[in-house]
Amino acid sequence: MFGSKDHLSSLDGHLYIEEVDCCRLAAEEGTPLYVTSERRLRENIRCYHRAFPDADKYFAVKANGNLTILQIAAQEGMGADVFSAGELSLVRMAGIPRDMILFNGNSKSELDHAAALRAGVRISMDSNEELEHLARTACELGLEGEILFRVNPDVSPKTHPKIATGLRSSKFGISAEEVAGAYQRAMDLEGIKPVGLHCHIGSQILQTAPFAEAAERMMDILREVTAKGGEVERIDLGGGLGIQYHPDVPAPSPSDLAQAILPVIEDGCRDLGISPRLILEPGRSIVADSTIMLTRVNVVKRAAVNFAAVDAGFNVLARPMLYDSYHHILPVDHAEGREEMIYTIVGPICESGDILARDRPLPRLVRGDVLAFLDAGAYGFSMASQYNGQPRPAEILVSGDGWEVIRRREDASALLAGQTIPPRLMW
Ligand code: LLP
């Protein structure tokens, strides 16, 4: 196994996650199936704590909103980055303390602001206009909201364009030139209290240099804000650390990230004589490699290429379709003596673009074989849909030699949820 995937192993030709045989999992729980290693998840969080002992780590809930996963994150001392009122209620249910939650978002409604204010969590301001909106709602409710400013630092993260968020052309944040002015304006507004600065430059970033550059920019802004009398208690550098999806493309570790950014922040803050609390918002690097997605082969077809059609498509794992992303695939039962062939793995969705993987060498596949897609824990289930009338899969937590269902497989009733037929149209 490449990288440090020590929660996955092979025994007698079967793939194991921790001490559980994936063949048994697929047989007993059905497919498609998301399966998370609790040990790996906890270890990933602890790795961040070791690399950043003095920083708060807010789990980016968009990566994985499963309540049990959030509960484990809470137990391990993580806070949460939430991007909607829905995510906020999930993390409150999971027991994440309000003081460790940041409500992010570039398009928040009055209801979102009210939910954040009532919950007493900090709120990230994405525009000058949002300041005025939030202040008004806070005054109407007789509450005060602590805010951080989402800065657009104009840094290139060198990642897929759809997941680069800190470029000047991106929809997120307030330009670096405007932030100090906005901070001052916020100090004068009733109902809000500016307490910090925030940025997030993108996702699946495989070098540490862009993070260091963003930290430098944030230090410039910190100097400006402080010179104008602003008090900055928190600096949030967002998430974005990439992971090793491909055996040949390594990723930096949390401790590499720490080495790149901590000196920049320490130097900048020492010069100013202040020590704001550092916040990070990792999502992918916490949960991606803890989870595999099991899917069963329905059809093998020789056409222009060898197609293996499985029971999961972009309805289950959207990343390959959206970002051309690579997920390594392992056969769950590596039967002896099968010759190697090259396959394109496709899903059951009625679109030609429903391709999960291209040109993969795999042992000759037959109907009924199960494949494991690795590194599926981040933006996997959380981006799943019911497109083409496909109920969403189950989620399993593996711990040692046992497992528990942490989200039931949907059945056809889920497709009906919330729907009504107006009586006048009834037969
Ligand atoms: N903080 C903010 C404000 C974010 O927008 C994000 C991700 C994160 C933290 C967490 O970033 P991470 O550590 O997971 O890279 N669906 C895409 C990724 C979208 C990321 C959106 N924002 C994918 O599957 O690659």
Side-chain angles (χ1 to χ4, degrees), residues 421-427:
I421 301 179
R424 69 185 178 80
L425 293 179
M426 292 283 203
W427 290 103

Side-chain angles (χ1 to χ4, degrees), residues 60 62-63 81 83 104 150 163 165 198 200 202-204 238-241 281-285 319 323 378-379 383:
K62 55 189 87 64
D81 140 40
F83 222 78
N104 277 306
R150 170 83 182 250
I163 49 176
T165 47
H198 172 225
H200 168 75
S203 200
Q204 184 52 15
L241 189 65
E281 299 174 347
R284 190 189 310 269
S285 47
R319 305 195 64 258
Y323 320 110
Y379 311 104
M383 297 208 304

Side-chain angles (χ1 to χ4, degrees), residues 385-392 410-419:
S385 76
Q386 297 173 332
Y387 184 40
N388 264 198
Q390 296 274 4
R392 280 173 298 192
E410 288 181 352
D411 60 21
S413 68
L415 306 177
L416 303 175
Q419 298 205 54

Side-chain angles (χ1 to χ4, degrees), residues 91-317:
V91 301
R92 293 295 290 145
M93 249 179 256
I96 294 186
R98 64 187 80 239
D99 189 48
M100 293 275 282
I101 298 172
L102 180 65
F103 196 121
N104 277 306
N106 66 303
S107 176
K108 303 186 205 80
S109 67
E110 216 174 299
L111 287 176
D112 293 329
H113 282 154
L117 288 162
R118 288 205 177 94
V121 300
R122 291 185 194 89
I123 309 169
S124 172
M125 290 293 99
D126 198 80
S127 65
N128 283 312
E129 196 186 301
E130 188 182 356
L131 268 186
E132 316 289 332
H133 293 164
L134 178 68
R136 200 173 319 123
T137 305
C139 290
E140 277 164 20
L141 295 175
L143 294 167
E144 188 180 62
E146 290 195 349
I147 59 167
L148 277 74
F149 281 89
R150 170 83 182 250
V151 180
N152 180 327
D154 195 21
V155 169
S156 168
K158 301 179 186 71
T159 185
H160 191 284
K162 283 189 189 157
I163 49 176
T165 47
L167 289 167
R168 186 173 290 275
S169 56
S170 135
K171 70 173 180 176
F172 296 105
I174 304 176
S175 71
E177 303 80 61
E178 286 178 289
V179 176
Y183 214 97
Q184 269 201 308
R185 165 95 186 110
M187 293 192 292
D188 296 337
L189 280 174
E190 227 166 282
I192 56 178
K193 181 177 177 222
V195 296
L197 299 170
H198 172 225
C199 75
H200 168 75
I201 57 172
S203 200
Q204 184 52 15
I205 300 170
L206 291 173
Q207 288 138 12
T208 54
F211 292 109
E213 198 183 329
E216 299 272 7
R217 298 271 164 93
M218 294 295 273
M219 290 302 107
D220 294 342
I221 295 164
L222 178 64
R223 271 186 284 280
E224 236 189 291
V225 169
T226 314
K228 291 190 171 154
E231 283 176 30
V232 178
E233 300 163 13
R234 291 183 158 75
I235 303 249
D236 181 339
L237 289 187
L241 189 65
I243 66 135
Q244 181 169 11
Y245 284 105
H246 193 287
D248 301 335
V249 185
S253 66
S255 90
D256 296 329
L257 178 65
Q259 276 172 34
I261 62 173
L262 289 182
V264 177
I265 296 165
E266 278 155 16
D267 288 355
C269 292
R270 191 178 323 106
D271 292 348
L272 292 167
I274 58 173
S275 44
R277 184 107 186 131
L278 175 64
I279 301 171
L280 299 166
E281 299 174 347
R284 190 189 310 269
S285 47
I286 296 293
V287 76
D289 72 1
S290 70
T291 303
I292 58 177
M293 191 275 287
L294 301 180
T295 179
R296 198 177 283 278
V297 175
N298 280 329
V299 176
V300 181
K301 179 160 82 176
R302 260 176 210 273
V305 296
N306 286 325
F307 286 112
V310 295
D311 59 8
F314 72 82
N315 56 316
V316 172
L317 185 64

